[in-house]
Amino acid sequence: MIFTRLFSSVLRVVAIGCLVGVVTIPSRAFARIIPGELAPGEFDLDVWQAEMAARHAALAKDGPLIPEHKRLRVEPTAEDLAKIGTEGCLECGEGGRGRLQIGVTKAVKSLHRYDSVSLLDLARGPVSTHGGVMRLDVDGSLVSTLALEAEKAGGLRAEIDNLHLPSGIGMYLYNEAGEAFGPYTGTGPMGDGHFWTNTIGGPVAYLEIRSAGPVTQTQLDKTRFQISGISYIDRDYFAPLGSDKAICGLDDCFEDATCYSETDWAPIANVRNAIAHMIFDDAGGTYICSGGLMADTDTSTTRNYFLSANHCFSNQEAASSLECFFRFKTTTCNSGCPASSGFPSTLGATLLSTGATSDYLFLELSQSPPAGSFYLGSRTDTAPAANGFQIYRISHPLGAAQHYNQLTVDTTWAACAGISRPSFIYSRDIVGATAGGSSGSPIMDSTGLVVGQQYGVCPNTIGDPNDFCDDVNNRIVDGAFSATYPNIRQFLDPVLNDDFDSPNILTGETGSTTANNADATKETDEPNHAGNVGGHSLWWNWSPPTGQYAKFDTIGSAITTPMGIYTGDTLGTLTTVVSSINGRPTAFLAHPDTTYRIAVDGINGTTGNITLNWKADTPPNDTFVLGTLISGASGTISDSNVGATKETNEPDHASNDGGKSIWYRWVAPSSGNFEFSTENSTFDTMMAVYTGGAVSVLTPVAENDDDPDLLDFTSKVSFQATQGTTYRIAIDGFNDSGTAESGFVVLTWSMGPPSPANDSFASAQVLSGDSGSVSGTNVGGSKETGEPDHAAGGGTRSVWYNWTPSVDGQASINTTGSAFDTVLAVYTGSTVNALSEVASNDQDGVNDTSAVTFAATGGTLYRVAVDGFEGASGAITLNYMLTPAGNDPGDVDGNGAITPADAELALECFLLGSCPAGGDATAADFCGGGNGTTPADAQGIFNAFLGLSNPCN
């Protein structure tokens, strides 16, 4: 065998400290059989793998583009590596065992915003990014490739945050071994901008952004994401296609499931298509477990319910990272060790319920498993805990392909402390065994019905608890499904939602459901809904998919129905949101990530059929004339634009079509600089501020699409308000595909820092003389209506200068000495919305400062804008210098050419304090700044002679 008994001992023991207490069996008994269900369709692994090969060929056709020194690297420490191959769980006490750790996740922060890149930049050639390069393909499509590397890793995963890919843009992941995944689109599989990529083999992976056709500037502006972490997975447990994991052989007691057929266990073919190998991240570690799909009683729909173990994980963050590999099995009996990345997988899950009393974890996968997958049936009685009862499982020990295990229940053993019957079932191996990575695998009866899920092995055995092939002494422990079922009945068997703790679940923005309350009761501590005593209440839970004005009613019910809508986790701590005595439409603002408890009863104890309807209502401030009044120098208001519309003659806010605007009115309490922000809203907002008394005669004050400080596409504006003036604020959703986005809105406003005196174009600071240097700031600066985006990266916190050179010459302006990442632009023109650009620059010096040179005409008024890249702000140093015509900068001796002699003469100017005869002091100040001649000027002149494009860098 490849690994020794010493190593395997680490992978076997489950400490008794992991779970404490016993389950409390509810007073209501459950003896339910839920049959299994086969998903439609048929999966063909050969076709799936061929599609991957074709995808890889298309992505990798140009070969790796990223040199080693530009790759985004992570490196685990010796302490990290020591954890790999061990078992442990967060809930366990000291020395606790549980899930098997196969890797570590290292935090990174790699931000990628494409709104700072113009199509013109890309047309000129490839543009470097953090970890990679972006370019245009021959057909004008975008190809932006990043390289991720973890030396010696067997596999990698990337954690992505703040993902926003507009229509036509996709993200892909591939390696050099033939594996390729994607496209990931929109806001990712979970729909919230956060997800983990597929796991891919090898130490180097390429993350690539591609457009389906010629890319547009709008697509670039709306593309952004952040890489927050990279998971390093050990080669023992993961390997790319075509190579073997180090751990491929298991001890003789393990049995390849492919070696068994229906004659050994009748339902085995269906079970193979239900079981999954799990990889997930939790608290910086990468772990594996096993689990299986679960059927519910509703045969009209398929919900991707999934059962595993609480000690695998018990939080939503880990659930979001979950990758489940299906159909992961050998081709023929004992045929080898296939790579799990060669099999289909799903990404992400929602945690629905979990508990330690029977060590269960119940999820809903965010993506559907392969066509033809099987959803396991279940039984809820306690018969499977009887002595001698035969149970079966298929699991993934050590992350290997499917392995088979048959056991017999043994009630003669005393229960281990903290792992008590009837919450747990004790058994011994008859065929096969389990190891780390098997945790959570469903156990089934002879017909394939789930009766529990694997917890582990009680270490208090007669023999050696570290010998997982000891089928005589080892006590195998599984959580009992009979103890789990009451906690998940609401999902698997949502028939009668009588109790507050077992409600039916409503989903979506709009819907309708029917029920009968004839057998329902009223619970202790249950309130009188809408003030009526009732007596036969039914309960529903609803969590809005996004914030909305929700309208609930019971129109269509056969009885008069008091209805109450609440928040709160227990009957005794409910807070009323709205109520209705007769079930008439009742509207309220529903917050995302909030669970609303809806109770419907029969008036004065009547019973009958009940119809519950819900839908998104039109926001009350949908129209300009009904704009919500907000007040004060600061504040916050929650709202929603779901169901909103755009009025006739309404302007395009922030120069986008939009289509779902809501309105506010605000009277400035004082004069000064104010900021309005939609940060923490749930969608891509646009915001505009106006004055005017009608939607058709508005005067723009300020507008913004994307807040330059954030990655989430919310908006921020700042403007100089005048006391007593009424301002109209519109919030809309960005529209890039014919439909405006919508969701929950958070609007905050506050007084901002004082605006600089030269904030506006009309109040520009005058630069005196032909050379000089001035200090200033753009903190509190703002963008004016019609103002351009300076150097394609600014236009949000600009300040202005006016400069009129006295004679013709070469003009040099730079921001060397400024304290932040600047952009610089020079224009001519008399109004801010009708300027002609003369020169602009983003980065041309140290510390991300900017510099421009241009041929200036004496007597011409030049408008100089200094802004922060993507809204940065801070102290500004602006240097300007004019070299009169005939006195080119650097040509210190005036012979018409820059030579090494000019550099030597400039150095003499510096050493002497003034230029000797034959030397031009203005030309000797080659790098500008008005600071006289320095050694840097001499070096710059020499660099210019050598032909360097930025000689003063």
Side-chain angles (χ1 to χ4, degrees), residues 583-885:
R584 289 177 180 170
T586 302
F588 62 96
L589 177 61
H591 291 237
D593 303 321
T594 299
T595 298
Y596 293 91
R597 322 283 187 168
I598 300 99
V600 181
D601 208 334
I603 194 166
N604 298 325
T606 57
T607 61
N609 288 330
I610 293 172
T611 299
L612 178 64
N613 313 295
W614 70 101
K615 65 179 181 179
D617 198 16
T618 302
N621 56 341
D622 180 29
T623 61
F624 175 85
V625 296
L626 294 178
T628 299
L629 179 63
I630 57 177
S631 61
S634 62
T636 299
I637 187 171
S638 298
D639 216 327
S640 171
N641 75 326
V642 174
T645 59
K646 186 174 183 178
E647 298 175 72
T648 302
N649 296 323
E650 181 174 340
D652 291 343
H653 313 298
S655 302
N656 183 267
D657 290 342
K660 295 184 177 179
S661 58
I662 53 178
W663 289 89
Y664 301 88
R665 292 176 293 137
W666 178 70
V667 180
S670 61
S671 295
N673 186 40
F674 283 84
E675 291 184 348
F676 284 71
S677 170
T678 62
E679 183 178 355
N680 296 319
S681 298
T682 63
F683 64 102
D684 187 353
T685 64
M686 302 180 299
M687 181 164 50
V689 180
Y690 305 92
T691 56
V695 75
S696 59
V697 290
L698 296 176
T699 300
V701 176
E703 62 182 11
N704 176 250
D705 176 8
D706 298 328
D707 183 345
D709 296 328
L710 300 173
L711 287 174
D712 61 5
F713 293 98
T714 54
S715 312
K716 179 188 286 186
V717 298
S718 59
F719 60 95
Q720 285 294 314
T722 301
Q723 184 176 7
T725 299
T726 298
Y727 294 91
R728 312 285 185 156
I729 300 102
I731 296 174
D732 205 340
F734 187 81
N735 185 337
D736 67 348
S737 58
T739 302
E741 294 192 27
S742 61
F744 192 69
V745 174
V746 178
L747 176 63
T748 59
W749 64 99
S750 61
M751 199 156 190
S755 296
N758 57 336
D759 181 25
S760 69
F761 177 85
S763 58
Q765 179 179 343
V766 175
L767 302 177
S768 60
D770 287 339
S771 298
S773 181
V774 295
S775 298
T777 181
N778 72 329
V779 175
S782 60
K783 179 182 179 180
E784 298 174 73
T785 301
E787 180 176 341
D789 287 343
H790 312 299
T796 58
R797 291 193 173 95
S798 60
V799 290
W800 290 90
Y801 301 86
N802 285 348
W803 182 47
T804 306
S806 62
V807 295
D808 294 351
Q810 183 83 355
S812 299
I813 304 177
N814 64 64
T815 60
T816 301
S818 298
F820 63 100
D821 188 350
T822 63
V823 295
L824 176 66
V826 180
Y827 306 91
T828 58
S830 57
T831 61
V832 74
N833 60 353
L835 296 174
S836 296
E837 182 178 301
V838 175
S840 66
N841 177 253
D842 175 8
Q843 295 188 9
D844 196 67
V846 296
N847 299 324
D848 298 322
T849 54
S850 314
V852 296
T853 59
F854 59 94
T857 301
T860 298
L861 175 58
Y862 293 96
R863 314 285 191 163
V864 182
V866 178
D867 206 340
F869 178 73
E870 296 186 347
S873 62
I876 294 172
T877 299
L878 182 66
N879 312 296
Y880 57 100
M881 182 184 69
L882 178 71
T883 302

Side-chain angles (χ1 to χ4, degrees), residues 282-424:
D282 195 12
T286 305
Y287 301 88
I288 57 173
C289 278
S290 297
L293 296 167
M294 296 289 291
D296 62 11
T297 57
D298 184 359
T299 58
S300 64
T301 61
T302 300
R303 300 291 295 270
N304 297 316
Y305 293 138
F306 191 84
L307 179 69
S308 188
N310 171 266
H311 76 262
C312 289
F313 62 82
S314 59
N315 62 83
Q316 181 56 51
E317 279 295 309
S320 297
S321 75
L322 177 64
E323 182 175 15
C324 288
F325 294 89
F326 290 89
R327 314 295 176 97
F328 179 34
K329 55 190 177 184
T330 56
T331 305
T332 59
C333 178
N334 295 319
S335 60
C337 185
S340 51
S341 53
F343 296 84
S345 63
T346 62
L347 297 178
T350 299
L351 193 157
L352 299 178
S353 183
T354 189
T357 50
S358 58
D359 191 47
Y360 76 94
L361 171 65
F362 193 67
L363 310 165
E364 183 169 12
L365 303 182
S366 299
Q367 296 180 323
S368 294
S373 291
F374 189 77
Y375 294 76
L376 298 169
S378 56
R379 57 187 290 182
T380 66
D381 61 325
T382 58
N387 194 57
F389 193 91
Q390 299 297 299
I391 54 179
Y392 306 78
R393 86 170 89 247
I394 288 178
S395 68
H396 293 278
L398 302 180
Q402 292 181 355
H403 276 65
Y404 174 78
N405 193 200
Q406 182 180 349
L407 311 95
T408 185
V409 174
D410 192 330
T411 60
T412 63
W413 275 327
C416 295
I419 319 175
S420 304
R421 300 181 180 95
S423 301
F424 292 89

Side-chain angles (χ1 to χ4, degrees), residues 206-537:
Y206 300 97
L207 194 68
E208 193 158 279
I209 301 292
R210 282 180 173 257
S211 64
V215 69
T216 66
Q217 188 65 51
T218 298
Q219 287 177 309
L220 284 176
D221 291 344
K222 290 295 179 179
T223 299
R224 63 188 65 178
F225 63 95
Q226 173 179 326
I227 303 174
S228 299
I230 297 175
S231 175
Y232 167 103
I233 300 177
D234 192 82
R235 285 182 293 181
D236 280 353
Y237 304 100
F238 204 90
L241 294 173
S243 60
D244 290 337
K245 292 181 288 188
I247 299 177
C248 284
L250 297 170
D251 280 4
D252 292 337
C253 60
F254 289 90
E255 296 289 335
D256 182 355
T258 307
C259 300
Y260 289 80
S261 67
E262 287 83 350
T263 58
D264 302 296
W265 184 31
I268 191 170
N270 281 335
V271 173
R272 285 194 183 107
N273 295 336
I275 301 302
H277 165 50
M278 304 161 57
I279 291 181
F280 54 92
D281 181 87
D282 195 12
T286 305
Y287 301 88
I288 57 173
C289 278
S290 297
L293 296 167
M294 296 289 291
D296 62 11
T297 57
D298 184 359
T299 58
S300 64
T301 61
T302 300
R303 300 291 295 270
N304 297 316
Y305 293 138
F306 191 84
L307 179 69
S308 188
N310 171 266
H311 76 262
C312 289
F313 62 82
S314 59
N315 62 83
Q316 181 56 51
E317 279 295 309
S320 297
S321 75
L322 177 64
E323 182 175 15
C324 288
F325 294 89
F326 290 89
R327 314 295 176 97
F328 179 34
K329 55 190 177 184
T330 56
T331 305
T332 59
C333 178
N334 295 319
S335 60
C337 185
S340 51
S341 53
F343 296 84
S345 63
T346 62
L347 297 178
T350 299
L351 193 157
L352 299 178
S353 183
T354 189
T357 50
S358 58
D359 191 47
Y360 76 94
L361 171 65
F362 193 67
L363 310 165
E364 183 169 12
L365 303 182
S366 299
Q367 296 180 323
S368 294
S373 291
F374 189 77
Y375 294 76
L376 298 169
S378 56
R379 57 187 290 182
T380 66
D381 61 325
T382 58
N387 194 57
F389 193 91
Q390 299 297 299
I391 54 179
Y392 306 78
R393 86 170 89 247
I394 288 178
S395 68
H396 293 278
L398 302 180
Q402 292 181 355
H403 276 65
Y404 174 78
N405 193 200
Q406 182 180 349
L407 311 95
T408 185
V409 174
D410 192 330
T411 60
T412 63
W413 275 327
C416 295
I419 319 175
S420 304
R421 300 181 180 95
S423 301
F424 292 89
I425 298 172
Y426 283 73
S427 62
R428 66 175 79 238
D429 292 321
I430 297 176
V431 177
T434 62
S438 298
S439 289
S441 57
I443 58 168
M444 288 153 275
D445 66 10
S446 60
T447 68
L449 294 176
V450 172
V451 298
Q453 70 287 328
Q454 184 181 18
Y455 170 54
V457 177
C458 174
N460 187 22
T461 62
I462 298 172
D464 180 3
N466 297 323
D467 181 2
F468 49 68
C469 287
D470 184 353
D471 56 5
V472 175
N473 297 308
N474 281 338
R475 307 183 196 185
I476 312 300
V477 187
D478 296 283
F481 193 73
S482 58
T484 297
Y485 179 68
N487 301 303
I488 61 175
R489 179 177 69 91
Q490 59 178 301
F491 305 105
L492 296 185
D493 189 16
V495 178
L496 180 61
N497 46 323
D498 181 18
D499 296 337
F500 175 84
D501 290 329
S502 58
N504 284 356
I505 306 301
L506 306 177
T507 59
E509 293 179 359
T510 301
S512 180
T513 187
T514 59
N516 190 293
N517 71 332
D519 296 325
T521 59
K522 187 174 183 177
E523 298 175 79
T524 303
D525 295 329
E526 183 173 343
N528 292 334
H529 310 300
N532 185 268
V533 65
H536 299 279
S537 60

